[in-house]
Amino acid sequence: MQIDLQISCLNLACISCDRFCTLCSESLSSIQLYHSFMNDLNPRQAQAVRYLDGPALILAGAGSGKTRVITRKIAYLIEECGVSPCNIAALTFTNKAAREMKARVGRLLVDTDTRGLSISTFHNLGLNILRREHKAAGLRPGFSIMDQLDAEHLLKELLHRDDPGKDAVQLAQRQISAWKNDLVDPATALSHASNDLDARHAVIYTSYQRALRAYNGVDFDDLILIPASLFQQRSEILERWQNRLRYLLVDEYQDTNGAQYELVKLLTGVRGALTVVGDDDQSIYAWRGAKPENLARLQQDFYNLEVIKLEQNYRSTGRILKAANTLISNIPHVFEKRLWSES
Protein backbone atom coordinates (compact mmCIF):
# COMPACT_ATOMS: atom_id res chain seq x y z
CA MET A 1 0.00 0.00 0.00
CA GLN A 2 2.89 2.32 0.74
CA ILE A 3 4.25 1.69 -2.78
CA ASP A 4 0.88 2.74 -4.23
CA LEU A 5 1.11 6.06 -2.39
CA GLN A 6 4.62 6.67 -3.63
CA ILE A 7 3.64 6.05 -7.25
CA SER A 8 0.54 8.27 -6.98
CA CYS A 9 2.50 11.14 -5.51
CA LEU A 10 5.26 10.85 -8.10
CA ASN A 11 2.70 10.90 -10.90
CA LEU A 12 1.04 14.04 -9.56
CA ALA A 13 2.74 17.20 -10.79
CA CYS A 14 3.12 19.58 -7.88
CA ILE A 15 -0.06 21.65 -8.19
CA SER A 16 1.45 24.80 -6.81
CA CYS A 17 4.53 24.97 -9.05
CA ASP A 18 4.15 22.53 -12.01
CA ARG A 19 7.11 20.45 -10.75
CA PHE A 20 7.10 17.06 -9.13
CA CYS A 21 6.10 17.41 -5.50
CA THR A 22 9.28 18.12 -3.52
CA LEU A 23 7.94 16.32 -0.48
CA CYS A 24 7.27 13.17 -2.50
CA SER A 25 10.57 13.16 -4.43
CA GLU A 26 12.89 13.95 -1.52
CA SER A 27 11.44 11.94 1.34
CA LEU A 28 9.49 8.98 -0.03
CA SER A 29 10.76 6.70 2.71
CA SER A 30 9.19 8.90 5.38
CA ILE A 31 5.69 9.01 3.86
CA GLN A 32 3.09 6.81 5.55
CA LEU A 33 -0.12 6.07 3.67
CA TYR A 34 -2.46 5.77 6.60
CA HIS A 35 -2.27 8.92 8.66
CA SER A 36 -4.99 9.63 11.17
CA PHE A 37 -7.33 10.85 8.44
CA MET A 38 -6.98 7.60 6.44
CA ASN A 39 -7.32 4.98 9.15
CA ASP A 40 -11.10 4.58 9.10
CA LEU A 41 -11.61 4.44 5.32
CA ASN A 42 -12.71 1.28 3.57
CA PRO A 43 -10.65 0.12 0.54
CA ARG A 44 -12.81 1.86 -2.08
CA GLN A 45 -12.89 5.09 -0.08
CA ALA A 46 -9.11 5.00 0.31
CA GLN A 47 -8.74 4.37 -3.43
CA ALA A 48 -10.91 7.40 -4.17
CA VAL A 49 -8.88 9.60 -1.83
CA ARG A 50 -5.53 8.48 -3.25
CA TYR A 51 -6.42 8.60 -6.94
CA LEU A 52 -4.58 11.52 -8.56
CA ASP A 53 -3.68 10.27 -12.04
CA GLY A 54 -6.52 12.10 -13.77
CA PRO A 55 -10.16 13.07 -13.40
CA ALA A 56 -12.21 10.83 -11.12
CA LEU A 57 -15.92 10.18 -10.76
CA ILE A 58 -16.78 8.77 -7.35
CA LEU A 59 -20.11 7.02 -7.83
CA ALA A 60 -21.39 7.19 -4.27
CA GLY A 61 -24.51 5.38 -3.20
CA ALA A 62 -26.62 6.71 -0.34
CA GLY A 63 -24.92 6.37 3.05
CA SER A 64 -21.57 5.35 1.54
CA GLY A 65 -19.47 8.11 3.12
CA LYS A 66 -19.07 10.47 0.17
CA THR A 67 -18.51 13.60 2.28
CA ARG A 68 -15.86 11.71 4.22
CA VAL A 69 -14.08 10.97 0.95
CA ILE A 70 -14.12 14.59 -0.21
CA THR A 71 -12.85 15.99 3.10
CA ARG A 72 -10.16 13.32 3.42
CA LYS A 73 -9.03 13.97 -0.13
CA ILE A 74 -8.62 17.66 0.64
CA ALA A 75 -6.52 16.73 3.67
CA TYR A 76 -4.56 14.21 1.59
CA LEU A 77 -3.76 16.77 -1.10
CA ILE A 78 -2.51 19.26 1.47
CA GLU A 79 -0.72 16.94 3.91
CA GLU A 80 0.62 14.17 1.66
CA CYS A 81 1.16 15.88 -1.68
CA GLY A 82 2.07 19.40 -0.61
CA VAL A 83 -0.70 21.13 -2.53
CA SER A 84 -1.23 24.69 -1.35
CA PRO A 85 -4.68 25.21 0.20
CA CYS A 86 -5.17 28.31 -1.94
CA ASN A 87 -4.98 26.12 -5.06
CA ILE A 88 -7.86 23.85 -3.99
CA ALA A 89 -11.57 24.51 -4.45
CA ALA A 90 -14.39 22.27 -3.25
CA LEU A 91 -17.90 23.01 -4.50
CA THR A 92 -21.28 22.01 -3.20
CA PHE A 93 -24.86 23.26 -3.48
CA THR A 94 -25.86 24.70 -0.10
CA ASN A 95 -24.20 26.95 2.43
CA LYS A 96 -25.00 24.39 5.13
CA ALA A 97 -23.15 21.63 3.26
CA ALA A 98 -20.19 23.96 2.67
CA ARG A 99 -20.03 24.85 6.38
CA GLU A 100 -20.12 21.18 7.35
CA MET A 101 -17.35 20.37 4.90
CA LYS A 102 -15.21 23.23 6.21
CA ALA A 103 -15.72 22.05 9.77
CA ARG A 104 -14.71 18.49 8.92
CA VAL A 105 -11.56 19.61 7.10
CA GLY A 106 -10.74 21.89 10.03
CA ARG A 107 -10.92 18.94 12.43
CA LEU A 108 -8.68 16.85 10.17
CA LEU A 109 -6.06 19.58 9.73
CA VAL A 110 -6.20 21.19 13.15
CA ASP A 111 -2.44 21.92 13.17
CA THR A 112 -2.21 22.94 9.52
CA ASP A 113 -2.54 26.42 8.06
CA THR A 114 -5.44 26.13 5.59
CA ARG A 115 -5.80 29.82 4.74
CA GLY A 116 -6.91 30.28 1.15
CA LEU A 117 -8.73 26.96 0.93
CA SER A 118 -12.01 27.50 -0.94
CA ILE A 119 -15.00 25.42 0.16
CA SER A 120 -18.18 27.05 -1.08
CA THR A 121 -21.29 26.83 -3.21
CA PHE A 122 -21.12 27.24 -6.97
CA HIS A 123 -22.73 30.65 -6.64
CA ASN A 124 -20.18 31.86 -4.09
CA LEU A 125 -17.37 30.80 -6.40
CA GLY A 126 -19.05 32.62 -9.28
CA LEU A 127 -19.44 35.72 -7.12
CA ASN A 128 -15.74 35.68 -6.21
CA ILE A 129 -14.84 35.40 -9.89
CA LEU A 130 -17.13 38.29 -10.82
CA ARG A 131 -15.73 40.51 -8.08
CA ARG A 132 -12.26 40.09 -9.55
CA GLU A 133 -13.33 40.18 -13.20
CA HIS A 134 -16.16 42.72 -12.99
CA LYS A 135 -14.60 45.05 -15.53
CA ALA A 136 -14.33 42.33 -18.17
CA ALA A 137 -17.93 41.39 -17.40
CA GLY A 138 -19.13 44.94 -18.03
CA LEU A 139 -19.93 45.59 -14.38
CA ARG A 140 -18.87 48.37 -12.05
CA PRO A 141 -17.41 47.79 -8.58
CA GLY A 142 -20.06 47.19 -5.93
CA PHE A 143 -22.54 45.58 -8.33
CA SER A 144 -25.81 44.34 -6.83
CA ILE A 145 -27.09 40.77 -6.65
CA MET A 146 -30.82 40.47 -7.21
CA ASP A 147 -32.60 37.61 -5.49
CA GLN A 148 -35.62 35.84 -6.94
CA LEU A 149 -38.08 38.39 -5.58
CA ASP A 150 -36.04 41.33 -6.92
CA ALA A 151 -35.89 39.68 -10.32
CA GLU A 152 -39.63 39.09 -10.27
CA HIS A 153 -40.30 42.75 -9.51
CA LEU A 154 -38.00 43.83 -12.32
CA LEU A 155 -39.77 41.58 -14.80
CA LYS A 156 -43.11 42.92 -13.64
CA GLU A 157 -41.90 46.48 -14.30
CA LEU A 158 -40.79 45.50 -17.78
CA LEU A 159 -44.18 43.95 -18.51
CA HIS A 160 -46.35 46.61 -16.85
CA ARG A 161 -47.92 47.76 -20.13
CA ASP A 162 -49.46 44.35 -20.61
CA ASP A 163 -50.68 44.23 -17.00
CA PRO A 164 -49.28 40.73 -16.55
CA GLY A 165 -50.57 38.40 -13.90
CA LYS A 166 -48.25 36.70 -11.44
CA ASP A 167 -48.34 33.47 -13.44
CA ALA A 168 -47.14 35.22 -16.59
CA VAL A 169 -44.24 36.86 -14.74
CA GLN A 170 -43.20 33.60 -13.12
CA LEU A 171 -43.45 31.74 -16.41
CA ALA A 172 -41.13 34.28 -18.05
CA GLN A 173 -38.78 34.10 -15.06
CA ARG A 174 -38.57 30.30 -15.23
CA GLN A 175 -37.87 30.37 -18.97
CA ILE A 176 -35.13 32.99 -18.62
CA SER A 177 -33.57 30.98 -15.81
CA ALA A 178 -33.67 27.82 -17.94
CA TRP A 179 -31.91 29.63 -20.79
CA LYS A 180 -29.22 30.95 -18.47
CA ASN A 181 -28.70 27.50 -16.97
CA ASP A 182 -27.99 26.24 -20.50
CA LEU A 183 -25.70 29.19 -21.36
CA VAL A 184 -28.17 30.58 -23.89
CA ASP A 185 -27.93 34.34 -24.41
CA PRO A 186 -30.91 36.53 -25.48
CA ALA A 187 -29.93 36.66 -29.16
CA THR A 188 -29.63 32.89 -29.37
CA ALA A 189 -32.90 32.42 -27.50
CA LEU A 190 -34.68 34.67 -30.01
CA SER A 191 -33.13 33.05 -33.08
CA HIS A 192 -34.13 29.58 -31.85
CA ALA A 193 -37.65 30.47 -30.72
CA SER A 194 -40.03 27.80 -31.97
CA ASN A 195 -43.31 29.55 -31.17
CA ASP A 196 -44.77 32.94 -30.30
CA LEU A 197 -44.45 32.45 -26.55
CA ASP A 198 -40.75 31.56 -26.81
CA ALA A 199 -40.19 34.59 -29.04
CA ARG A 200 -41.97 36.83 -26.55
CA HIS A 201 -39.93 35.45 -23.66
CA ALA A 202 -36.74 35.98 -25.65
CA VAL A 203 -37.64 39.65 -26.18
CA ILE A 204 -38.36 39.97 -22.45
CA TYR A 205 -35.02 38.27 -21.75
CA THR A 206 -33.26 40.92 -23.86
CA SER A 207 -34.96 43.76 -21.98
CA TYR A 208 -34.34 42.09 -18.64
CA GLN A 209 -30.59 41.76 -19.23
CA ARG A 210 -30.42 45.37 -20.43
CA ALA A 211 -32.19 46.51 -17.26
CA LEU A 212 -29.86 44.48 -15.06
CA ARG A 213 -26.86 46.18 -16.62
CA ALA A 214 -28.46 49.60 -16.19
CA TYR A 215 -28.87 48.84 -12.48
CA ASN A 216 -25.31 47.45 -12.33
CA GLY A 217 -26.84 44.20 -11.16
CA VAL A 218 -26.82 40.47 -11.73
CA ASP A 219 -29.23 37.73 -10.70
CA PHE A 220 -28.31 34.36 -9.17
CA ASP A 221 -28.13 32.60 -12.53
CA ASP A 222 -25.68 35.23 -13.78
CA LEU A 223 -23.25 34.21 -11.04
CA ILE A 224 -22.62 31.03 -13.06
CA LEU A 225 -23.50 32.21 -16.57
CA ILE A 226 -21.20 35.24 -16.70
CA PRO A 227 -18.02 33.53 -15.38
CA ALA A 228 -18.57 30.55 -17.71
CA SER A 229 -19.12 32.88 -20.67
CA LEU A 230 -16.03 34.93 -19.76
CA PHE A 231 -13.95 31.76 -19.65
CA GLN A 232 -15.28 30.71 -23.07
CA GLN A 233 -14.52 34.10 -24.64
CA ARG A 234 -11.39 35.30 -22.85
CA SER A 235 -8.59 32.72 -22.76
CA GLU A 236 -6.35 34.90 -20.60
CA ILE A 237 -9.01 35.12 -17.90
CA LEU A 238 -9.56 31.37 -18.03
CA GLU A 239 -5.83 30.72 -17.77
CA ARG A 240 -5.58 33.02 -14.74
CA TRP A 241 -8.28 31.07 -12.90
CA GLN A 242 -6.94 27.69 -13.98
CA ASN A 243 -3.63 28.68 -12.38
CA ARG A 244 -5.40 29.87 -9.24
CA LEU A 245 -7.70 26.84 -8.79
CA ARG A 246 -5.57 23.85 -9.67
CA TYR A 247 -7.55 21.06 -8.06
CA LEU A 248 -11.36 20.93 -8.04
CA LEU A 249 -13.66 18.72 -6.00
CA VAL A 250 -17.42 18.78 -6.59
CA ASP A 251 -20.12 17.21 -4.43
CA GLU A 252 -23.59 16.10 -5.63
CA TYR A 253 -22.53 16.29 -9.27
CA GLN A 254 -25.84 14.83 -10.46
CA ASP A 255 -27.43 18.14 -9.44
CA THR A 256 -25.31 20.32 -11.75
CA ASN A 257 -26.97 22.18 -14.62
CA GLY A 258 -25.46 22.93 -18.01
CA ALA A 259 -23.76 26.17 -16.95
CA GLN A 260 -22.26 24.62 -13.81
CA TYR A 261 -20.99 21.66 -15.81
CA GLU A 262 -19.32 23.97 -18.32
CA LEU A 263 -17.78 26.09 -15.55
CA VAL A 264 -16.17 23.01 -13.98
CA LYS A 265 -15.03 21.67 -17.36
CA LEU A 266 -13.38 24.96 -18.30
CA LEU A 267 -11.63 25.39 -14.96
CA THR A 268 -10.35 21.81 -15.07
CA GLY A 269 -8.95 22.12 -18.58
CA VAL A 270 -6.39 19.64 -19.89
CA ARG A 271 -4.83 19.23 -16.46
CA GLY A 272 -7.69 16.97 -15.42
CA ALA A 273 -7.19 17.63 -11.71
CA LEU A 274 -10.80 16.93 -10.81
CA THR A 275 -12.76 14.71 -8.45
CA VAL A 276 -16.54 14.72 -8.58
CA VAL A 277 -18.91 12.77 -6.36
CA GLY A 278 -22.39 11.89 -7.56
CA ASP A 279 -25.16 9.35 -7.92
CA ASP A 280 -27.83 9.49 -10.63
CA ASP A 281 -30.20 7.60 -8.32
CA GLN A 282 -30.22 10.58 -5.98
CA SER A 283 -31.05 13.26 -8.55
CA ILE A 284 -34.20 15.12 -7.47
CA TYR A 285 -33.66 18.61 -8.91
CA ALA A 286 -34.37 18.19 -12.63
CA TRP A 287 -37.29 20.60 -12.15
CA ARG A 288 -34.81 23.41 -11.47
CA GLY A 289 -32.37 22.60 -14.26
CA ALA A 290 -30.25 19.79 -12.81
CA LYS A 291 -29.00 17.30 -15.40
CA PRO A 292 -28.06 13.88 -13.99
CA GLU A 293 -26.82 13.02 -17.50
CA ASN A 294 -23.86 15.28 -16.71
CA LEU A 295 -22.36 12.23 -15.00
CA ALA A 296 -22.34 10.44 -18.36
CA ARG A 297 -21.00 13.55 -20.13
CA LEU A 298 -17.86 13.28 -18.01
CA GLN A 299 -16.90 10.14 -19.90
CA GLN A 300 -17.26 11.98 -23.19
CA ASP A 301 -15.30 15.07 -22.15
CA PHE A 302 -12.61 13.33 -20.08
CA TYR A 303 -11.42 10.25 -21.98
CA ASN A 304 -9.28 9.06 -19.05
CA LEU A 305 -12.02 9.37 -16.42
CA GLU A 306 -11.61 6.90 -13.55
CA VAL A 307 -14.89 5.63 -12.09
CA ILE A 308 -14.73 4.44 -8.48
CA LYS A 309 -17.87 3.00 -6.91
CA LEU A 310 -18.66 3.43 -3.23
CA GLU A 311 -21.22 0.67 -2.64
CA GLN A 312 -20.75 -0.16 1.04
CA ASN A 313 -23.61 1.41 2.98
CA TYR A 314 -23.31 2.52 6.60
CA ARG A 315 -26.92 3.54 7.26
CA SER A 316 -29.13 0.54 6.48
CA THR A 317 -29.26 -3.22 6.99
CA GLY A 318 -28.64 -5.73 4.24
CA ARG A 319 -32.33 -6.59 4.06
CA ILE A 320 -33.29 -2.96 3.36
CA LEU A 321 -30.52 -2.59 0.80
CA LYS A 322 -31.60 -5.76 -1.01
CA ALA A 323 -35.08 -4.29 -1.46
CA ALA A 324 -33.61 -0.95 -2.55
CA ASN A 325 -31.34 -2.63 -5.12
CA THR A 326 -34.34 -4.48 -6.56
CA LEU A 327 -36.29 -1.25 -6.99
CA ILE A 328 -33.33 0.68 -8.41
CA SER A 329 -32.56 -2.10 -10.92
CA ASN A 330 -35.76 -1.21 -12.79
CA ILE A 331 -34.46 2.27 -13.59
CA PRO A 332 -32.17 2.81 -16.64
CA HIS A 333 -28.58 3.50 -15.58
CA VAL A 334 -25.35 4.63 -17.17
CA PHE A 335 -23.42 3.31 -14.19
CA GLU A 336 -24.57 0.17 -12.41
CA LYS A 337 -24.01 -0.32 -8.68
CA ARG A 338 -25.30 -2.53 -5.86
CA LEU A 339 -25.35 -1.27 -2.31
CA TRP A 340 -24.36 -3.68 0.47
CA SER A 341 -23.80 -3.59 4.18
CA GLU A 342 -21.96 -5.62 6.78
CA SER A 343 -24.94 -5.34 9.15
Side-chain angles (χ1 to χ4, degrees):
M1 297 294 267
Q2 188 171 356
I3 293 175
D4 290 341
L5 169 64
Q6 294 171 0
I7 292 174
S8 295
C9 283
L10 281 173
N11 286 342
L12 174 66
C14 181
I15 301 223
S16 59
C17 59
D18 288 332
R19 293 180 290 106
F20 286 130
C21 178
T22 303
L23 173 63
C24 298
S25 61
E26 293 183 355
S27 57
L28 283 175
S29 61
S30 66
I31 297 177
Q32 299 297 319
L33 176 59
Y34 288 106
H35 280 218
S36 59
F37 56 84
M38 295 287 283
N39 288 337
D40 60 348
L41 300 182
N42 67 41
R44 288 290 181 88
Q45 291 172 336
Q47 178 190 2
V49 169
R50 294 196 313 268
Y51 187 78
L52 298 170
D53 293 332
L57 164 60
I58 314 304
L59 196 67
S64 60
K66 64 180 181 62
T67 304
R68 176 187 299 178
V69 167
I70 292 178
T71 54
R72 303 303 169 89
K73 189 152 193 171
I74 293 172
Y76 179 78
L77 287 166
I78 295 171
E79 287 291 289
E80 296 287 356
C81 295
V83 180
S84 172
C86 65
N87 292 139
I88 300 172
L91 301 174
T92 187
F93 283 86
T94 67
N95 289 320
K96 180 180 179 181
R99 287 194 298 269
E100 179 184 350
M101 201 178 292
K102 284 180 183 178
R104 289 196 186 192
V105 172
R107 289 192 293 270
L108 290 170
L109 301 176
V110 65
D111 296 322
T112 302
D113 183 0
T114 59
R115 283 178 295 180
L117 175 64
S118 175
I119 300 177
S120 71
T121 64
F122 272 93
H123 290 91
N124 276 330
L125 173 63
L127 176 58
N128 288 333
I129 294 171
L130 279 186
R131 282 174 172 164
R132 289 171 172 81
E133 310 294 347
H134 63 271
K135 186 175 181 180
L139 296 166
R140 300 186 298 278
F143 59 86
S144 302
I145 303 171
M146 294 194 174
D147 62 20
Q148 186 172 354
L149 189 59
D150 294 329
E152 186 177 317
H153 287 161
L154 178 56
L155 283 170
K156 193 170 183 178
E157 287 181 12
L158 294 172
L159 299 175
H160 73 281
R161 294 178 182 175
D162 298 329
D163 191 22
K166 186 174 183 180
D167 289 345
V169 172
Q170 292 182 343
L171 184 61
Q173 188 174 23
R174 284 195 296 269
Q175 181 59 71
I176 291 171
S177 180
W179 277 325
K180 290 189 176 189
N181 288 339
D182 284 333
L183 296 176
V184 176
D185 61 26
T188 302
L190 184 59
S191 65
H192 287 76
S194 59
N195 53 57
D196 291 343
L197 182 60
D198 282 350
R200 174 169 169 71
H201 284 158
V203 172
I204 296 169
Y205 183 14
T206 302
S207 300
Y208 175 70
Q209 288 302 102
R210 189 180 300 120
L212 282 176
R213 291 298 176 270
Y215 287 123
N216 192 37
V218 297
D219 63 19
F220 276 7
D221 294 322
D222 285 330
L223 296 178
I224 310 297
L225 169 68
I226 297 176
S229 298
L230 277 178
F231 290 161
Q232 288 177 331
Q233 299 163 10
R234 300 281 296 274
S235 59
E236 75 282 8
I237 295 177
L238 174 59
E239 183 178 359
R240 180 160 61 242
W241 282 91
Q242 286 177 335
N243 289 331
R244 181 191 295 265
L245 303 177
R246 289 175 168 252
Y247 203 101
L248 292 178
L249 304 100
V250 186
D251 194 13
E252 306 288 6
Y253 207 72
Q254 74 279 354
D255 291 332
T256 56
N257 59 38
Q260 290 163 337
Y261 181 93
E262 190 66 18
L263 184 67
V264 170
K265 177 185 171 184
L266 289 165
L267 282 171
T268 301
V270 297
R271 185 183 294 117
L274 171 69
T275 292
V276 306
V277 179
D279 180 10
D280 52 355
D281 292 324
Q282 298 184 61
S283 179
I284 58 174
Y285 293 115
W287 58 273
R288 69 178 188 190
K291 294 185 174 181
E293 59 267 28
N294 284 345
L295 292 172
R297 286 183 64 190
L298 287 167
Q299 290 187 310
Q300 301 168 12
D301 291 327
F302 298 98
Y303 71 92
N304 58 338
L305 181 73
E306 180 78 4
V307 179
I308 301 172
K309 299 179 182 181
L310 303 184
E311 297 171 299
Q312 184 174 355
N313 182 282
Y314 294 92
R315 291 179 186 168
S316 304
T317 64
R319 185 175 181 179
I320 292 174
L321 294 175
K322 182 178 179 180
N325 286 328
T326 300
L327 289 173
I328 292 172
S329 66
N330 295 312
I331 303 172
H333 288 80
V334 176
F335 305 100
E336 294 293 336
K337 66 180 184 304
R338 290 192 65 83
L339 300 177
W340 61 275
S341 173
E342 292 182 343
S343 60

